Amino acid sequence: MFRTFLFCIALSGIFSSPSPVCSQEKLKALIIDGQNNHSMWPKTTAMMKHYLEESGRFTVDVARTRFTWQGGELLKQYPAGDKIPRKDLPESRPDPDFKPNFSAYDVVINNFGWKAAAWPEETQQAFEDYVSNGGGLAIIHAADNSFPEWQAYNLMIGLGGWGGRNEASGPYVYFDQQGKEVRDESPGSGGSHGPKHEFQIVVRDQDHPITKGLPTSWMHTSDELYQQLRGPGMNMRILATAYSAPDFRGTDRHEPMIMTISFGEGRVFHTPMGHDDVSFECVGFITTFLRGVEWAATGEVTLTEIPDDFPKADSASRRAFEDR
Ligand code: ZN
């Protein structure tokens, strides 16, 4: 695909070899955003951009809708990270000029959210073509709330929530207490969560490049535990789950937390984690996000190093992010 070859100079001396990362082609990533009910979306986009660039594996561009929810003047009034009162939130409006050149990228990271306005038809078609022709896609948290009416989008995300999703969208998919994947056709709305809390992520499939070699469980920083997601769930592989405890208004089920989906020739990495900056600061989130985005771009993972500050089974680990 479209990769920029990076010519590296070994800074440590003319006789030393370039590091493995330096000798690789950088992958081209595009973060798309602009309409998200999560008030800190500009900050979480900045965080993802930073993580991707810091890995040495990606160059990153951002494409943003012109009519942003919580954008423009509001961003001056409420600096990134501030919670904008619901009363001050303008509704999303369609942006007829939102036409990113998806096919110029190896991977697109979707940071849209609930109530995002439908994209222009031409943009939807370009996006479908991009993914089905082998493009990579990453779906983060509320991006699985977006575009409930868009059939191809629902196939790409596998499972979604809110926006009127119900039994017509597809089954609830979760793991039962015996560790068996369940596809539950019972009627009901898709998507809910209890209060934010720390919860444990459990790897269910270690044979995938995204999870290979990772600890089998780790504690995630405080986040919304998305539950009762439902959708077509076709060509979907659930790599990790989290137990949704009744103490936190949970389902008593093990809910999907890391999924991969194939759509045509395209690869999709989907995580419902990532409600706010605290969730994004989790070292487990950062590690699996980078692996997931790289896998979506190439089908392989070279970012296999497990950081020293990776969380333990019973204790979370955060890297404080300062706005840059
Ligand atoms: Zn959220």
Side-chain angles (χ1 to χ4, degrees), residues 47 57 123 213 261 263 288:
M47 293 172 84
R57 189 74 175 101
T123 305
I261 302 102
F263 179 82
T288 51

Side-chain angles (χ1 to χ4, degrees), residues 28-48:
K28 293 187 73 177
L30 176 70
I31 303 176
I32 53 173
D33 69 8
Q35 299 184 344
N36 192 331
N37 56 313
H38 291 67
S39 54
M40 55 175 69
W41 62 259
K43 182 174 182 180
T44 55
T45 284
M47 293 172 84
M48 290 192 282

Side-chain angles (χ1 to χ4, degrees), residues 51-90:
Y51 297 150
L52 292 165
E53 289 172 344
E54 186 184 49
S55 76
R57 189 74 175 101
F58 302 91
T59 61
V60 184
D61 292 331
V62 177
R64 187 161 286 175
T65 53
R66 182 152 51 96
F67 301 125
T68 60
W69 197 348
Q70 305 147 14
E73 288 303 305
L74 274 177
L75 290 181
K76 292 180 201 156
Q77 197 178 338
Y78 299 101
D82 274 16
K83 183 109 183 138
I84 302 171
R86 189 59 67 109
K87 68 177 173 51
D88 284 353
L89 298 180

Side-chain angles (χ1 to χ4, degrees), residues 164-187:
R165 288 179 169 89
N166 58 24
E167 58 276 15
S169 313
Y172 294 118
V173 183
Y174 54 90
F175 277 49
D176 66 14
Q177 307 301 348
Q178 285 70 47
K180 187 169 158 288
E181 186 179 315
V182 177
R183 291 183 174 237
D184 175 354
E185 307 276 354
S186 60

Side-chain angles (χ1 to χ4, degrees), residues 263-305:
F263 179 82
E265 300 296 313
R267 287 170 299 272
V268 183
F269 161 74
H270 177 177
T271 178
M273 290 183 270
H275 172 71
D276 61 16
D277 51 354
V278 173
S279 322
F280 273 74
E281 286 176 343
C282 169
V283 180
F285 177 90
I286 297 168
T287 304
T288 51
F289 168 74
L290 291 173
R291 286 174 169 227
V293 173
E294 189 186 22
W295 174 81
T298 66
E300 293 168 3
V301 172
T302 64
L303 299 169
T304 53
E305 191 184 326

